[in-house]
Amino acid sequence: MTTPVQLDDLDRGLMQALMIDGRAAFSRIAEVLEVSDQTVVRRYRRLRTSGLVRVIGLPLGNRVGLFESWLRVQCAPDAALTVAEALARRPDIAWVKLGSGGTEINCLTKARTRQDRDGLLLDKLPRTRRVTGVSAHTILRVYIGGPSGWCGLDVLRPEQIAALGRAPSRPPVVHGQEQERYALDEAEHALLAVLAHDGRAGYPELARASGLSESTARRRLDRLRELRALYFDLELVPSALGFDAEATLLLTAAPARLAEAGAALAGHPEVPFAAAVTGTANLMAAVVCRDTDELYTYMTERIGAVPGIQHVEVIPTLRNIKRAGMLVEGGRLVDPPPAPRASEP
């Protein structure tokens, strides 16, 4: 039996530092945390090998033209886990959660093409045995999540946060009201494939995977970050930090108050992700709390005070199958699974 890793303020400070800049040099982080370089390296390796954290590099969906949707998949009780595990093996699905008494799967898709998205929604899932219903909700606007990191960790002092912050990237080109998309080439897709496993992968590894020289790989990565086509995130296991109650909220806000409500949710430390979506509910949020009592307090006091909210549905998370592209096994983050067989969704 694996001994649980005991986390202290230095571990939490390191996590928060990596949320701010996942590729910050360990020497820079050590200076900010006021410890030695060796201490930071040792702590990071311990956290990563224990499966509690993983730095990952991800494309920003709306910037590179990904088709992002949040799916609710209803299954027969004896089939939900099998279907969820098959969905988790798909590289175009980033998150998979089991909820609603074990009969509903929630997942987030990031398809490279409209055809890939439609193939899953119109062909694969409807033909999957024991799937009884599917609803798809397009992600319209992300309020918190992605480049804007979770504010649930509050260990570092303001001056430490400022010292770790990267210089703002230049704003993307905008035509009218629509942001210009950036078209990734094959070398950049190869870079992203490596960074999705390890956001701190070295330039020699990135060069080998992409067929570029090390200096060119470095320039490409810097350019993708500058153009806001790539961001680095720290994925972690909330229960390791004492957050044992997770849920997905589906909220209905008055259209005129939707942006205001989304911005309010983005300021809640309980919310690592919130977005405007299509469907009968126009706002969804992932929530992490320490226990069900705290979740109740959050619902009654924090959500109750958000302007414009008219209806709330709470879907408790029974099990996380996949988090930000990482499979979850025994409370540990592990490398993504192999692609599904042709007969699977």
Side-chain angles (χ1 to χ4, degrees):
M1 182 176 179
T2 304
T3 303
V5 176
Q6 299 298 315
L7 304 179
D8 58 20
D9 281 348
L10 178 56
D11 293 315
R12 293 179 175 86
L14 174 56
M15 290 180 182
Q16 189 176 354
L18 291 169
M19 284 183 180
I20 296 169
D21 185 358
R23 282 187 73 89
F26 285 135
S27 57
R28 180 177 167 213
I29 295 175
E31 182 179 357
V32 170
L33 296 181
E34 301 171 350
V35 296
S36 68
D37 297 9
Q38 294 83 357
T39 297
V40 168
V41 171
R42 186 171 62 251
R43 291 295 185 104
Y44 174 73
R45 287 177 176 168
R46 182 177 68 117
L47 292 171
R48 193 180 189 282
T49 57
S50 63
L52 296 184
V53 303
R54 184 74 67 95
V55 176
I56 48 178
L58 300 171
L60 191 58
N62 62 348
R63 186 77 175 90
V64 301
L66 295 180
F67 293 85
E68 297 179 305
S69 300
W70 183 70
L71 307 185
R72 300 184 72 175
V73 182
Q74 284 76 39
C75 298
D78 62 342
L81 181 57
T82 300
V83 174
E85 290 174 340
L87 286 168
R89 286 194 286 273
R90 292 183 62 99
D92 58 350
I93 291 184
W95 289 78
V96 182
K97 300 179 179 183
L98 197 61
S100 292
T103 60
E104 179 175 315
I105 302 164
N106 302 146
C107 55
L108 184 65
T109 70
K110 292 177 176 285
R112 286 178 61 174
T113 68
R114 190 184 303 273
Q115 291 74 19
D116 289 342
R117 181 200 63 184
D118 293 349
L120 175 65
L121 297 180
L122 303 178
D123 181 32
K124 286 286 189 179
L125 282 171
R127 295 186 182 185
T128 301
R129 293 182 58 200
R130 312 290 282 169
V131 170
T132 58
V134 180
S135 60
H137 308 261
T138 300
I139 304 293
L140 299 176
R141 177 67 55 86
V142 175
Y143 298 111
I144 182 72
S148 53
W150 179 45
C151 56
L153 281 175
D154 187 20
V155 179
L156 301 182
R157 302 186 302 273
E159 64 271 19
Q160 291 177 304
I161 294 172
L164 286 163
R166 284 173 50 84
S169 56
R170 70 185 187 215
V173 178
V174 174
H175 296 301
Q177 297 299 315
E178 185 175 349
Q179 180 176 297
E180 180 183 336
R181 290 178 176 173
Y182 178 82
L184 296 166
D185 62 24
E186 289 308 311
E188 290 164 339
H189 278 297
L191 287 176
L192 289 170
V194 174
L195 295 171
H197 289 254
D198 181 6
R200 297 188 65 89
Y203 293 107
E205 182 180 356
L206 294 174
R208 286 192 299 271
S210 62
L212 304 172
S213 68
E214 288 186 33
S215 60
T216 302
R218 180 190 294 269
R219 286 195 300 271
R220 286 289 189 95
L221 189 151
D222 290 341
R223 183 166 180 266
L224 289 173
R225 296 188 80 177
E226 182 184 1
L227 294 174
R228 298 182 182 176
L230 165 69
Y231 69 96
F232 289 92
D233 195 9
L234 180 77
E235 187 51 44
L236 52 80
V237 178
S239 59
L241 294 168
F243 297 98
D244 291 319
E246 296 186 56
T248 299
L249 306 187
L250 286 177
L251 309 102
T252 303
R257 310 295 294 272
L258 178 59
E260 183 182 3
L265 290 178
H268 293 175
E270 298 88 352
V271 178
F273 180 83
V277 296
T278 59
T280 53
N282 54 11
L283 187 60
M284 64 87 63
V287 174
V288 267
C289 295
R290 295 196 177 277
D291 51 37
T292 52
D293 283 342
E294 188 174 284
L295 177 60
Y296 172 81
T297 300
Y298 176 71
M299 292 296 303
T300 55
E301 297 181 8
R302 303 295 294 280
I303 292 295
V306 174
I309 298 295
Q310 301 169 336
H311 182 266
V312 182
E313 179 184 359
V314 183
I315 307 171
T317 299
L318 298 183
R319 184 184 302 184
N320 284 288
I321 309 296
K322 192 177 187 182
R323 303 183 68 96
M326 296 287 110
L327 196 66
V328 182
E329 291 182 352
R332 292 165 49 92
L333 300 171
V334 300
D335 286 325
R341 296 183 292 272
S343 60
E344 294 179 335

